[in-house]
Amino acid sequence: MIPSWCAALRMDTSYIDTVKTHLQRRNELFDAKIESGEFQPLVFPRDFASVFIVIFALVIKWPRDGPVKYIRHLLYFYTLYLNIYVIVHCRSLLVLGGYGVGLVFSWLSIWSASLLIFNDVQGTYKRIERSFVPFSTSKENLLQGRGGKAGRTSAILKNSSSEYDSTNGDANGKATCSDPKIVPRFKWQGFPEKLGHRFTWAFDLLFSHRGPHWNWRPKDFPPLPKQVQLQLSRGENADLDVDMLWEEENTRGVLVGSIYKSVLYFFCLDLLKVISTGDRHFLGHIIYPPPPFLAICGPLAPTIAYMYRLAMSGAAVYCAVLFPTTISATVFLAISQTPLGFKTRIPFEASFLYPPYFGDVLIPILDEGLVGFWGKFWHKQFRAGFLAPGNWIKSKLISRNPGRKWPQSIFWGLQVIISFTLSGILHFSGSYTQNSSTNPFNQFLFFALQIVGIFFQISIEKLSGRLIPFRIPVWLKRLSKCVFVLVWLACVGPLLCDDFTIGGVWMEEPVPYSPIRAMGFAKGTGGAVRWQAEPLRWWKGTRWWECGIVL
């Protein structure tokens, strides 16, 4: 027997007709604006010049003193101009109907500012690099009689001798010692001297937004393995001790787990998309009666539909963030299982390179409310870039007023204001570049109101502590914080979610193939194959540097 919610997905052709009409109208409008000159298509490599300039600025060894170092700042402001130009003048139908254009180039501006303006990358940034070195036989003999350590280390050395040999070479491309007992060695690598090494270092930095293998990695990431910490703290010239040998992880098991997660998020995205076809709200009709399958709820149907639509949007964002990142982790873990994995400086097989994207949701909300939701649960993809301006301001104030004691609450509040403002700008830009009649200010307002919500929550907590004559039970505090988070997000959520809907995000296909449709559900919404191959188009600009591939 088919469940009731699945039966509701067996729809007539009205859904697919509506989607086809919307997409056809959007494509025609897009082509008309390109032909009229109102917008230009997003062209590679023309519109990605800022990326190359940032890499160039990161690779160059700038003097620490003197006016020459400010050329790096000038390069940043030039890339900022280029990014703003792309956001204002260029459009694409890729990535949620153009949302990715504003999102990518606004984030590039924020992250580049962190690297070129607010931080001393050349002087302070370091990443974990790995090479392979021979482990002395005499040191191996010292392990005899040490119980478990001897067995564990013998296994490490056995694995090393079977996997790493002189034909593979070390991470720098040099031949390794003929001694079969080869073990991984970790070190902090600052700004490299060799140009080729410097280029890969800078390229990795530009795209390592969370920084799990950099010295600025978030403090709430799981700690590095003890052996790796010992090697990093003692330096690369210290003698390798048995306690410093990195215990081999079950990389193949982690890889299999990553594949399972990728499949799971794939099915979740497909399921959310299929469920959305049963509610015309997700076709852009913001004010629309509850879907038919909620009729059983009677007079509560409008309220339940309101919460259901917000929950659908939240779940879609959650899965849309996790799916590509899990795919990325799967690819790098797979590389680590090939000979190429032993020639890279980055230890792709190490589990600490893949910390969870989201934290625990329940405990942070119960203990800290809205602060815990955004600070500990939500993903940290953009956090380093958002925190950089506030950290820079803090360092300048402290250095110029060395004798003054600043309350930490001032800097914390400054970080909250700056971070959510930048997040609002980021999502405003994404909505602005969509090829639909969106309201970008609503997305900015959603994140700006998080500032209000956080300070409001803290004020209520302090005020209640002063006015209530008895000690509030812990369970009541936790319950009130949880209720506040749910009510607050329910009130301001439509600012973000409705704009996604108006922009046609739900009409886009998140996966190329729909297993649920292949099983016969959601009839009338198209076949199982969801993506259609588009031919590559070449853009002929008026100048040679304007030519490129249309994205």
Side-chain angles (χ1 to χ4, degrees):
M1 181 177 179
I2 299 175
S4 58
W5 68 269
C6 292
L9 299 179
R10 295 183 177 275
M11 306 178 62
D12 54 29
T13 57
S14 61
Y15 172 83
I16 193 170
D17 290 341
T18 302
V19 172
K20 283 184 176 180
T21 301
H22 167 80
L23 296 179
Q24 182 179 0
R25 186 184 305 124
R26 186 194 67 179
N27 294 347
E28 292 175 352
L29 183 62
F30 175 79
D31 293 336
K33 290 182 177 180
I34 296 298
E35 292 179 3
S36 66
E38 181 179 353
F39 293 115
Q40 302 175 26
L42 187 68
V43 176
F44 180 85
R46 179 195 69 183
D47 298 323
F48 292 82
S50 59
V51 177
F52 302 109
I53 294 174
V54 171
I55 293 177
F56 170 79
L58 291 174
V59 168
I60 295 298
K61 189 173 183 178
W62 302 96
R64 307 299 300 276
D65 300 310
V68 177
K69 67 178 183 179
Y70 294 108
I71 296 178
R72 184 176 72 248
H73 297 177
L74 295 177
L75 287 175
Y76 166 73
F77 286 109
Y78 181 56
T79 63
L80 178 63
Y81 161 76
L82 293 177
N83 292 335
I84 294 175
Y85 182 89
V86 171
I87 292 173
V88 173
H89 296 285
C90 297
R91 294 294 180 268
S92 173
L93 295 177
L94 293 179
V95 189
L96 304 179
Y99 194 93
V101 177
L103 186 73
V104 168
F105 285 93
S106 59
W107 168 243
L108 180 60
S109 300
I110 295 171
W111 185 230
S112 299
S114 172
L115 301 179
L116 302 181
I117 300 292
F118 299 122
N119 287 290
D120 181 11
V121 169
Q122 183 175 314
T124 61
Y125 275 32
K126 299 177 182 180
R127 76 168 178 176
I128 297 175
E129 292 193 356
R130 175 212 56 196
S131 59
F132 295 107
V133 298
F135 186 75
S136 173
T137 304
S138 60
K139 290 188 177 181
E140 182 191 4
N141 294 335
L142 294 176
L143 303 180
Q144 302 300 325
R146 292 195 181 184
K149 284 188 177 180
R152 184 196 70 188
T153 307
S154 299
I156 294 174
L157 299 178
K158 181 178 180 181
N159 291 339
S160 301
S161 63
S162 63
E163 293 179 349
Y164 317 129
D165 55 36
S166 59
T167 61
N168 283 338
D170 66 4
N172 297 316
K174 300 177 182 178
T176 58
C177 178
S178 59
D179 190 334
K181 300 176 179 61
I182 303 298
V183 296
R185 182 70 183 262
F186 297 90
K187 68 174 183 177
W188 283 119
Q189 176 63 59
F191 192 72
E193 291 296 329
K194 294 183 179 180
L195 184 61
H197 189 182
R198 197 184 304 167
F199 175 80
T200 58
W201 188 90
F203 188 84
D204 178 33
L205 175 61
L206 182 61
F207 293 98
S208 295
H209 304 149
R210 296 201 303 161
H213 57 301
W214 290 83
N215 61 344
W216 45 268
R217 69 196 308 265
K219 295 180 180 179
D220 53 355
F221 274 179
L224 297 172
K226 179 181 178 181
Q227 299 90 337
V228 176
Q229 293 186 43
L230 286 172
Q231 293 190 34
L232 295 175
S233 62
R234 297 182 185 180
E236 60 180 308
N237 296 322
D239 291 336
L240 201 58
D241 189 89
V242 60
D243 294 327
M244 300 167 62
L245 291 180
W246 180 51
E247 186 174 358
E248 290 289 339
E249 299 286 348
N250 182 17
T251 307
R252 292 186 179 180
V254 177
L255 173 59
V256 172
S258 184
I259 293 174
Y260 285 155
K261 290 179 181 178
S262 300
V263 174
L264 173 63
Y265 297 136
F266 180 95
F267 272 94
C268 286
L269 284 173
D270 188 33
L271 177 62
L272 289 169
K273 172 63 180 180
V274 168
I275 292 176
S276 72
T277 61
D279 187 356
R280 296 188 69 84
H281 164 85
F282 295 109
L283 293 178
H285 305 284
I286 300 303
I287 303 176
Y288 198 82
F293 55 84
L294 291 181
I296 192 175
C297 300
L300 294 178
T303 302
I304 295 177
Y306 178 88
M307 302 304 297
Y308 150 77
R309 289 162 177 169
L310 289 179
M312 283 281 291
S313 297
V317 172
Y318 181 83
C319 294
V321 170
L322 285 175
F323 178 59
T325 54
T326 308
I327 289 290
S328 175
T330 302
V331 170
F332 288 122
L333 284 167
I335 291 175
S336 73
Q337 298 299 292
T338 67
L340 180 62
F342 305 130
K343 295 180 180 294
T344 61
R345 293 186 173 94
I346 302 176
F348 289 134
E349 74 281 1
S351 58
F352 62 78
L353 257 65
Y354 315 101
Y357 245 78
F358 289 86
D360 295 332
V361 60
L362 184 59
I363 300 301
I365 290 177
L366 292 176
D367 290 341
E368 302 180 56
L370 204 58
V371 177
F373 177 86
W374 291 112
K376 294 186 177 180
F377 163 66
W378 202 245
H379 70 83
K380 302 171 181 63
Q381 179 70 17
F382 306 125
R383 184 163 301 180
F386 291 165
L387 295 178
N391 290 333
W392 181 82
I393 294 173
K394 178 182 178 180
S395 64
K396 293 299 181 182
L397 288 175
I398 293 177
S399 63
R400 293 180 181 180
N401 302 274
R404 182 173 178 179
K405 293 184 178 180
W406 296 86
Q408 291 301 314
S409 59
I410 293 179
F411 297 121
W412 183 85
L414 181 65
Q415 290 285 25
V416 170
I417 294 172
I418 293 176
S419 297
F420 281 104
T421 300
L422 291 177
S423 185
I425 293 173
L426 191 74
H427 293 82
F428 173 96
S429 302
S431 178
Y432 178 79
T433 56
Q434 282 187 286
N435 297 283
S436 301
S437 301
T438 58
N439 189 348
F441 181 73
N442 280 356
Q443 296 212 20
F444 176 84
L445 186 60
F446 170 82
F447 289 97
L449 285 175
Q450 304 310 313
I451 304 173
V452 178
I454 288 174
F455 288 134
F456 179 71
Q457 174 193 317
I458 294 175
S459 300
I460 292 298
E461 290 176 3
K462 292 182 177 180
L463 189 62
S464 61
R466 294 176 182 176
L467 297 181
I468 297 178
F470 58 88
R471 186 176 182 180
I472 304 175
V474 174
W475 68 267
L476 184 57
K477 288 182 179 180
R478 303 182 97 191
L479 178 62
S480 62
K481 289 178 181 178
C482 182
V483 171
F484 176 79
V485 171
L486 295 176
V487 172
W488 183 264
L489 293 178
C491 291
V492 302
L495 291 170
L496 181 71
C497 300
D498 287 355
D499 196 63
F500 282 152
T501 302
I502 294 173
V505 169
W506 284 97
M507 297 190 197
E508 302 290 335
E509 293 295 338
V511 293
Y513 183 83
S514 173
I516 296 178
R517 288 182 174 91
M519 290 186 288
F521 299 114
K523 290 185 176 179
T525 64
V529 178
R530 307 309 301 163
W531 290 1
Q532 301 296 328
E534 295 287 342
L536 291 177
R537 292 189 298 164
W538 183 261
W539 179 259
K540 296 181 180 179
T542 56
R543 302 174 181 87
W544 66 268
W545 63 81
E546 295 180 348
C547 300
I549 300 173
V550 176
L551 300 179

